[in-house]
Amino acid sequence: MPERSVDHPFRDDCPSEYRLFRRRLILGTGAATALAALPGAVVAVVDGAGGSEAGKFMELSALLIDHRLDRDIGARLAAAMSHANAGIEQDIDALLDIAKKKNARIVEDFFPDVPEGRLRDTALAIISAWYSGVVSETQGSEVFAFELALMYQPTRDVMTIPSYAISGPNGWNPSAPPLSDMPEF
Amino acid sequence: MADIQNADVIIVGTGTVGCTIAELALDAGLSVLMLEAGPRVERWQIVENFRNLPPALKANWDAPYPPKPWAPHLETYTDESAAEYLQLEGPDALAYRQGYVRYAGGATWHWAGICWRLTPDDMRLKSLYGVGRDWVFGYDTLEPYYTRAEYTLGVSGPSDPALQWPPIRSKPYPMERLPFGPGEQRFTEAAARVGLQNLPAAQARNSGVSYHDRPPCCGNNNCFPVCPIGAKYDAATTLTKIEAKGGTIRANAVVYRVETGAKNTIQAVHYFDPDKQSHRVTGRIFVIACNGIETPKLLLLSRDEKNPNGVANSSDQVGRNMMDQPKISTQVVMAEPLWTGVGPVQSSSIMNTSQGDFRGVHAGAMIRMENAARSRVGGLAALQKGLVGKALDREIRRLAACTGTFTIEHELLPMAHNRLTLSSKKDWLGLNKPNIYYDVGDYVRRSATSYSVPLLKKLMVELGVTESQIATQFAHSDHIMGGCIMGRDPGDSVVDADCRAHDHDNLFLPGGGAMTTGGSGNSTLTMVALAIKAADAIVGQLGKAARA
């Protein structure tokens, strides 16, 4: 029989443990684990535990990134970034203030007004997290998004997201759309 | 000794060579016990491991395959982790950081699936060019085994002889070639304009149809590090078939000693389990097929009174002649899109650059475009620029579409000083780690300087390359060959034409280690062809014994 060891619960042979590990990390309490099965409930849990920080994170994310953003991923990124960066809540408030003063709808409307230094770094870190799907690149870091990570979307009309097929048996060919045809996402 | 096990054929290693022999031996009515050093896991577990890697680590072939303490293999996270198991020295030490996994199924878990044959000339380097060695037999002898290997693995390839390599075949490929994506088409057209022919690769990937209970390739573009759907052949797809035929597979069984007996035949192998308990397994025929590094290491570990240099090593050639195809990688930026990431991660190569009378002076080489999707590479690079909004999206698309990696793989000669020995450093079980001295030699260096890189530069101009970074160091191709070299003379070779050890009538050492030369292409199909030839000899040998 194939082995099912628990030596590396977050790395290889034990997927049920692995998933539990991730949910506990996101939600913080065992009691909340059951809620993780409900899509969309995660934001409410985080909101309930810590005020409206996740809501503000999503509000700022929507201003920084003019694409459809998944709320579950956002809630998890908010929790992880808050955990890793003390004071990020103040940065988010400050960035929202700048955007409001400019009546910004998209990042181009207010990003030039974001000062170099901590605020700009925080804004770029939030963008990077949504695009790369991680808040850290080190070995063992949690991945919050892969197939929905935004950096795979500008080429999704042509390039396969590795391991996820976009055609079928011998269903590809040499044609490709112009570089200027940016997909909607 | 906790228990004693016995079978007609004991096979150490569950990679493509061991599994091919196991199936053929079982088909012939022989009992088979396979011993695998590493764990046995399901495909989806490896896929999940891959998908849950941070993007920068997704390029590390080994990251989805964490080794068990008792079966270490190369881990490439950092230079420190990479130096942990393989002990490397010599002028090109880092070019022997060979990737293989010690898991049931072996290194075909993460191979690209490319199935080039050697050419007749590749097997006669000494006669034709005065370098290297000649094989014991010619291409005509190997051809039927190549054909059987292609039908065993399920190889797709072009039916048009003008696109075959080499176009000397007794049967068509079992499946027609896979289509090209835009990158391969553009690369092929540019190559043609400078007089080079980029061929659709023969590849162990199901093309348009199911084959051997595996689905057709759907272009998941993840052959390396794992095909998520099993459309690409890997030996793991045969493990359940072996069991269905009555074979036994024992995972987490690290063979550390080959025991000789009367008349210097092999009596038994000994293995450690994860509790460091030793077990002894007896049989009639023993096959050591646990990779081009682990096989010579095990033979050297097994020295005894009758075999003071190690088992099968009266010639002192075990562990020598270590080969690979020294690789030069080039990163390029182009003015126009190339568009990789459509179809398999590799699907074509320029092969005719591997042949020619120049081989008396320098190596031939194969040139290839890597077809892995570059959205991750482009995405991370664009993010580092601090771009936002539409500028960020445009830059990701440009850097993914208009960049590429081109690869040159050189033919390496068998040279005795490229040698695997036992390190004084020990692994978790207390076994010596392998130590390898590696120098690609002037034959390869001359090729890179005067032949292969200049050819690639010509092609890069034709492709409209605006920036390029050509590696200044050789890298590994993970095609481990030569450490149990085949030859006619027991004084300067380890195995005979059937991969049988000259020194031990019932010991077979098939696989890359037995290859006399390696050519410029991937070694796997030749390894499987040799495995089939060895299996025929094993079945014949045991049949003869039964009749006697």
Side-chain angles (χ1 to χ4, degrees), chain B residues 353-398:
Chain B
T353 46
S354 67
Q355 311 289 301
D357 289 339
F358 57 77
R359 291 165 96 182
V361 179
H362 64 72
M366 171 259 276
I367 302 172
R368 182 179 69 232
M369 183 206 83
E370 304 294 344
N371 195 40
R374 300 185 64 81
S375 31
R376 179 182 60 82
V377 178
L380 295 178
L383 284 169
Q384 284 209 333
K385 294 184 176 186
L387 300 170
V388 301
K390 290 183 175 59
L392 174 62
D393 294 338
R394 278 196 301 268
E395 186 64 350
I396 290 174
R397 189 165 165 92
R398 183 186 77 83

Side-chain angles (χ1 to χ4, degrees), chain A residues 1-5 7-8 11-15 18-19 22 64 66-67 106-108 111 124 127-128 131-134 136-143 146 150-152 154-183 185, chain B residues 39-42 44-45 48-58 63 66-68 70 75 77 103 177-182 185 207-208 216-222 228 252 337 339-344 373-376 379-380 383 386-394 396-398 400-402:
Chain A
M1 284 295 289
E3 154 182 284
R4 288 193 168 75
S5 129
D7 282 344
H8 300 288
R11 283 182 68 186
D12 79 334
D13 307 349
C14 191
Y18 167 78
R19 283 203 288 265
R22 287 170 46 139
L64 289 169
D66 189 21
H67 296 298
I106 58 173
V107 66
E108 284 88 347
F111 199 74
L124 289 173
I127 293 169
S128 180
Y131 271 75
S132 66
V134 293
S136 164
E137 280 280 7
T138 55
Q139 183 188 349
S141 298
E142 184 171 10
V143 173
F146 174 30
L150 295 178
M151 70 178 177
Y152 295 100
T155 54
R156 70 179 190 172
D157 53 335
V158 184
M159 278 183 183
T160 314
I161 300 173
S163 81
Y164 296 94
I166 54 173
S167 60
N170 289 1
W172 58 93
N173 60 57
S175 63
L179 198 58
S180 56
D181 285 6
M182 182 65 70
F185 58 97
Chain B
R40 182 170 175 184
V41 303
E42 300 288 346
W44 66 266
Q45 294 171 283
E48 280 298 297
N49 286 349
F50 167 75
R51 289 176 174 171
N52 284 287
L53 287 169
L57 288 178
K58 281 192 161 69
K68 293 296 180 188
W70 51 89
E75 291 188 272
Y77 299 111
Y103 268 44
R177 59 168 283 193
L178 286 122
F180 277 168
Q185 185 66 30
S207 170
C217 175
C218 292
N220 299 60
N221 198 247
N222 206 60
N252 301 309
W339 284 121
T340 61
V342 181
R374 300 185 64 81
S375 31
R376 179 182 60 82
L380 295 178
L383 284 169
L387 300 170
V388 301
K390 290 183 175 59
L392 174 62
D393 294 338
R394 278 196 301 268
I396 290 174
R397 189 165 165 92
R398 183 186 77 83
C402 301

Side-chain angles (χ1 to χ4, degrees), chain B residues 449-492:
Chain B
T449 306
S450 66
Y451 176 69
S452 64
V453 172
L455 268 177
L456 178 61
K457 283 182 175 171
K458 211 166 137 188
L459 179 53
M460 281 158 44
V461 170
E462 193 60 34
L463 279 160
V465 168
T466 55
E467 294 170 47
S468 65
Q469 249 187 323
I470 301 175
T472 53
Q473 300 279 322
F474 291 97
H476 52 94
S477 293
D478 302 343
H479 305 153
I480 310 163
M481 300 172 282
C484 301
I485 200 161
M486 179 188 292
R488 193 169 285 111
D489 180 359
D492 73 358

Side-chain angles (χ1 to χ4, degrees), chain A residues 43-63:
Chain A
V43 174
V45 171
V46 175
D47 282 351
S52 59
E53 296 307 330
K56 286 183 182 173
F57 180 87
M58 283 302 291
E59 186 184 351
L60 177 60
S61 294
L63 286 162

